[in-house]
Amino acid sequence: YTTLFRSLRSIKLAFGYTRGLQDVSAIAALSHCASQTLSEVTIESFSSCIASGQVRDEVEIESAGNAALISLLHCHGSNLSLLSLPPWPLTAALVTEIASCCPDLQQLNIQDPSKLCESPHGVTPECLASIAGGCPGLRALSLSEACLAISPAALSALANGCPQLEELDLSGRWDEFSQPMRYVDDAAMTAALSCGLQKLTKLNLHFTATSDATLVALGANCPLLKYLNLSACSSDDDNHCRGGYGVGD
């Protein structure tokens, strides 16, 4: 691979349930790609590969995948503007590597950072704060289903550290394997909005615990907001969101 794909700028890998370590080798191969211009990497459904009933050693698969991803970040991270890993069973160590290796990242998707059918994941509020400190140019961030990464302090760090942020996905999901984003509540949102997020144009709060206080803060602090999804929000004292609808421009 050291002589191949010298002009490669973007690559997407999507995994299934059957190949195990063979799939991991595809990630590892990217570290040896000769391109000096690789700026967009999307790796989908690695959790499915790990959680497959046909995979004999899930720990081995996960460890090899993490090592391959870290190697990729060390090789190409300084050039990356887009990194999408939905879903990847992220650890705090992996998130730290993303924050330290990708200073020019503009789009980051770490949706559902848990192993398929399992929780909790390793993404913490401290991880989110490290992303805010290491990737100040972020314009789009998906934390969908990453409930344990959220706290008022972490979202405030994000608002302070990423002043160019335009798109933010904090949505949850409700099914047998998922749950609403209960930590995305009025306290977290009002704290973040008091620190920044003035450039937001798109915000997804589907299945969060927000209510009227968040709406008031959004109206006061986000003059550029064009898309707002409030569907299925609910809190202990809400009177506007339960069974609600997304609001477009």
Side-chain angles (χ1 to χ4, degrees):
Y1 290 91
T2 56
T3 59
L4 298 177
F5 308 121
R6 293 186 180 277
S7 300
L8 189 67
R9 293 181 179 274
S10 178
I11 191 165
K12 178 178 179 179
L13 304 174
F15 298 128
Y17 289 88
T18 59
R19 299 186 62 190
L21 286 172
Q22 295 180 52
D23 285 339
V24 173
S25 67
I27 303 173
L30 288 177
S31 300
H32 304 289
C33 172
S35 174
Q36 299 298 310
T37 59
L38 184 63
S39 60
E40 299 182 357
V41 173
T42 298
I43 304 174
E44 294 183 349
S45 301
F46 182 62
S47 288
S48 299
C49 172
I50 294 172
S52 169
Q54 301 183 44
V55 175
R56 293 182 179 179
D57 191 342
E58 294 182 0
V59 174
E60 182 183 7
I61 301 297
E62 184 174 357
S63 177
N66 289 343
L69 180 58
I70 288 173
S71 181
L72 184 155
L73 293 172
H74 286 175
C75 183
H76 297 290
S78 60
N79 293 326
L80 290 185
S81 62
L82 182 152
L83 179 63
S84 183
L85 303 169
W88 187 291
L90 291 171
T91 63
L94 269 177
V95 176
T96 299
E97 292 288 348
I98 293 171
S100 63
C101 293
C102 306
D104 295 326
L105 208 57
Q106 295 184 22
Q107 299 179 63
L108 176 61
N109 182 350
I110 51 175
Q111 171 186 340
D112 189 15
S114 58
K115 193 182 299 184
L116 191 65
C117 305
E118 294 185 17
S119 63
H121 54 78
V123 182
T124 64
E126 291 75 19
C127 293
L128 182 54
S130 72
I131 289 174
C135 309
L138 276 180
R139 293 182 178 274
L141 175 63
S142 176
L143 295 167
S144 179
E145 299 180 70
C147 186
L148 298 183
I150 305 300
S151 73
L155 283 186
S156 295
L158 181 68
N160 274 317
C162 302
Q164 305 304 316
L165 199 62
E166 298 174 359
E167 299 184 10
L168 181 59
D169 185 354
L170 298 173
S171 62
R173 187 177 63 177
W174 184 262
D175 59 29
E176 58 183 320
F177 304 127
S178 305
Q179 57 186 342
M181 292 281 280
R182 63 187 183 278
Y183 295 139
V184 181
D185 57 14
D186 290 333
M189 289 304 301
T190 55
L193 290 164
S194 70
C195 297
L197 302 180
Q198 284 89 358
K199 292 193 176 182
L200 277 186
T201 61
K202 185 174 183 178
L203 178 62
N204 190 346
L205 295 175
H206 173 71
F207 258 127
T208 60
T210 52
S211 69
D212 289 342
T214 294
L215 279 179
V216 171
L218 285 169
N221 294 282
C222 299
L224 303 180
L225 196 61
K226 295 182 178 179
Y227 174 88
L228 176 61
N229 187 349
L230 297 172
S231 58
C233 293
S234 93
S235 68
D236 291 338
D237 60 352
D238 76 80
N239 56 27
H240 80 284
C241 287
R242 195 180 302 274
Y245 298 91
V247 181
D249 21 8

